[in-house]
Amino acid sequence: MGFWEPHSSSVEFCEPNYLLTPFIAEPHNAWSSLCIFILALIGFNYGNPLKEFGVSMMFFALALVGLGSTALHTTLHWLWQSSDEIPMLWQALSMLYFLFELRSDIRNKRSFTNLLYFAIVCAIQTVMYFFFQKMFVIFVISVTLYAAIIVIWIAVLVTEDTSPIVRNMRFKLFNMAILSYAFIGAVVWIVDMYYCDLLLPFYLKSGLGGMTLHVLWHIGAGFGTYLAITFLILVRLQVLKKDVYLKWLGNIIPICLLGEQI
């Protein structure tokens, strides 16, 4: 009997419950969720050179996703499932808001009105989430729809007629984001969720304490979202005609910095 039983979340994951400790339902899914939170902290502290509210909002939503996911996999409780899934919706909406504001002047008074509209949409989406909470497929469809709109919009920005240097920076971030989120994260999520019965014996015999492919979903989706946010920041700074370059932390994690690259 685990500490958090009986569970009340509407979704089950493949990692065997309480295999390593009676206090954390899914230890590997919990620690890998913290990777998302760490990426958000990096972006929040180092990746917002103009200290724009829209950028802070995107990274804040990403941090909530990481913490909420950690809580969900620790407890498998419906309340913490909400704290994981609602921030994912807010994350998508914050990115859509930023896309709408991408070409606005920093002092644009309409931004406050748009922000109010964004807050209203978030409130409506949150109410709808609780209304359909037991229907996990509704949540998946909503997130997928938002993600598709964001990807298409970003793809248009990639193909804009800009200088070769600008295009190269955009292409690199876009390709990395798609590879990380879609071809690593999303594919792994589908395989792990729908082929759990087939994979579970291998997980148990792997010597990794029941660690599953869901760990790669957290890392891939979290990093892919971070890259997409960084892409939007890059385009925003280029729209404002700032001298911007990418600095790679550990040759892996990009942040946008102002000034000439040294």
Side-chain angles (χ1 to χ4, degrees), residues 179-198:
L179 175 64
S180 182
Y181 196 106
F183 291 98
I184 296 178
V187 170
V188 162
W189 185 87
I190 292 171
V191 171
D192 185 66
M193 291 293 287
Y194 291 97
Y195 296 95
C196 178
D197 292 339
L198 180 65

Side-chain angles (χ1 to χ4, degrees), residues 9 58 63-64 100 111-112 118 131 143 158-159 176 181 208 230:
S9 64
M58 289 189 291
L64 290 180
F100 275 110
S111 295
F112 178 79
F118 162 75
F131 187 79
V143 171
V158 172
T159 58
M176 288 180 63
Y181 196 106
L208 297 175
T230 303

Side-chain angles (χ1 to χ4, degrees), residues 157-247:
L157 294 173
V158 172
T159 58
E160 280 186 334
D161 185 17
T162 55
S163 70
I165 295 177
V166 169
R167 276 200 304 273
N168 288 340
M169 285 194 288
R170 293 187 186 185
F171 265 110
K172 185 170 185 177
L173 286 178
F174 177 76
N175 291 336
M176 288 180 63
I178 293 297
L179 175 64
S180 182
Y181 196 106
F183 291 98
I184 296 178
V187 170
V188 162
W189 185 87
I190 292 171
V191 171
D192 185 66
M193 291 293 287
Y194 291 97
Y195 296 95
C196 178
D197 292 339
L198 180 65
L199 294 170
L200 188 57
F202 296 96
Y203 292 152
L204 293 172
K205 295 176 182 178
S206 67
L208 297 175
M211 185 168 67
T212 69
L213 291 173
H214 200 78
V215 166
L216 294 180
W217 154 248
H218 289 154
I219 296 173
F223 189 47
T225 303
Y226 174 90
L227 290 167
I229 294 172
T230 303
F231 175 94
L232 293 178
I233 298 167
L234 177 71
V235 175
R236 171 66 172 164
L237 293 172
Q238 291 168 343
V239 166
L240 295 175
K241 301 188 183 306
K242 303 292 184 181
D243 289 327
V244 57
Y245 69 95
L246 295 175
K247 179 178 180 180

